[in-house]
Amino acid sequence: MAEQRHGARDTRDPREDVRGEAGKGAPDTKDEVARAWDELVATARRTVADGLVVGTSGNVSVRIGDTVLVTPTGVPYERLAPGDVVGVGLDGRQVLGSLRPTSELPMHLAVYRATGARAVVHTHAVHATAVSTLVPELPLIHYMAGALGGAVRVAPYATYGTEELAENMLGALADRTACLLQNHGTIAYGSSLTQAYDRTAQLEWMCRVWLTASSVPGLTPALLTREQLAEAEQRLRGYGQQ
């Protein structure tokens, strides 16, 4: 959901706002918060630069210990400053900052509670959102689906920002690291912001490939079998520098 609500900006440096609340979800080090916030803001701005979101739609989060740093609701990413840091505990209680967290906080927290994720990226990418309105699962158009855990499912529609949407999302994410949200967009997670973003971009690319191939009159795209995808997924586990 495009978040258009605006809150008062806090211009303090987050390194001065880390609360020493032992056992209550506050991060351990001030520098760790500052570095993570800088990377989160850079990732959020990248979603705009790469056309995955428009305005303040979409949101990004990163987990540090039991604290989740997340983009605030209704604040354009280019305006975010070090003092705008927003942090919540896994129970949703705000522990850092004064700006309100994203309205999609239930989805982010659901991912962290159910998986070992360290970062989550949610977008309203055009091709992925279009695919979410057409099929219950992205057809196996490319073997890179294996990098996301298998065929990408579409979570049934529910109103943005609700626990129902978070529950539907978790069902679609079972044994996966990304899914589509019907008539809404995408969500992906990873062990870092870079990985979560890369998975988001990969999903959008696959959706674009399928839509492009499906648009050719009189022809039907060739799809991979489940067996072919499983073989590719196995090979992908050893891909790149270990």
Side-chain angles (χ1 to χ4, degrees):
M1 173 67 183
E3 298 167 344
Q4 301 300 331
R5 297 184 297 278
H6 291 260
R9 287 169 57 83
D10 182 354
T11 57
R12 293 173 296 170
D13 190 309
R15 287 169 287 196
E16 300 173 357
D17 193 40
V18 178
R19 304 173 185 176
E21 302 182 11
K24 293 186 179 181
D28 293 331
T29 70
K30 299 175 183 179
D31 288 344
E32 187 178 14
V33 170
R35 287 193 300 269
W37 181 252
D38 286 346
E39 187 179 4
L40 180 149
V41 171
T43 300
R45 289 173 178 169
R46 187 179 177 189
T47 65
V48 176
D50 290 352
L52 298 178
V53 304
V54 175
T56 58
S57 66
N59 22 79
V60 178
S61 68
V62 63
R63 179 175 178 176
I64 306 174
D66 289 335
T67 297
V68 175
L69 304 184
V70 64
T71 47
T73 185
V75 180
Y77 300 144
E78 69 271 15
R79 298 182 189 173
L80 290 177
D84 292 325
V85 63
V86 176
V88 301
L90 293 176
D91 59 359
R93 180 180 58 87
Q94 190 157 349
V95 297
L96 288 174
S98 60
L99 295 180
R100 286 182 297 150
T102 173
S103 58
E104 296 291 11
L105 186 60
M107 279 205 302
H108 288 259
L109 294 181
V111 172
Y112 291 118
R113 292 171 188 148
T115 74
R118 308 305 297 182
V120 176
V121 174
H122 164 54
T123 78
H124 294 180
V126 173
H127 300 92
T129 302
V131 170
S132 79
T133 71
L134 298 172
V135 291
E137 180 180 279
L138 175 62
L140 293 177
I141 193 70
H142 198 275
Y143 65 80
M144 282 303 291
L148 303 179
V152 178
R153 307 183 188 102
V154 178
Y157 180 80
T159 305
Y160 81 95
T162 62
E163 294 293 341
E164 180 184 6
L165 176 59
E167 183 177 348
N168 291 351
M169 172 207 66
L170 284 181
L173 278 178
D175 301 318
R176 303 289 188 270
T177 54
C179 74
L180 300 175
L181 307 169
Q182 189 177 53
N183 295 87
H184 187 154
T186 73
I187 193 160
Y189 70 86
S191 60
S192 66
L193 281 165
T194 296
Q195 187 178 62
Y197 181 87
D198 287 347
R199 286 170 171 169
T200 299
Q202 190 70 60
L203 177 54
E204 168 67 357
W205 179 82
M206 286 191 295
C207 288
R208 184 176 183 181
V209 170
W210 181 70
L211 287 172
T212 301
S214 299
S215 69
V216 179
L219 297 177
T220 301
L223 301 176
L224 301 178
T225 65
R226 299 281 174 170
E227 293 73 22
Q228 289 172 324
L229 180 63
E231 182 179 356
E233 184 176 357
Q234 182 65 35
R235 291 180 64 84
L236 284 167
R237 291 174 185 167
Y239 177 78
Q241 302 299 317
Q242 303 304 306

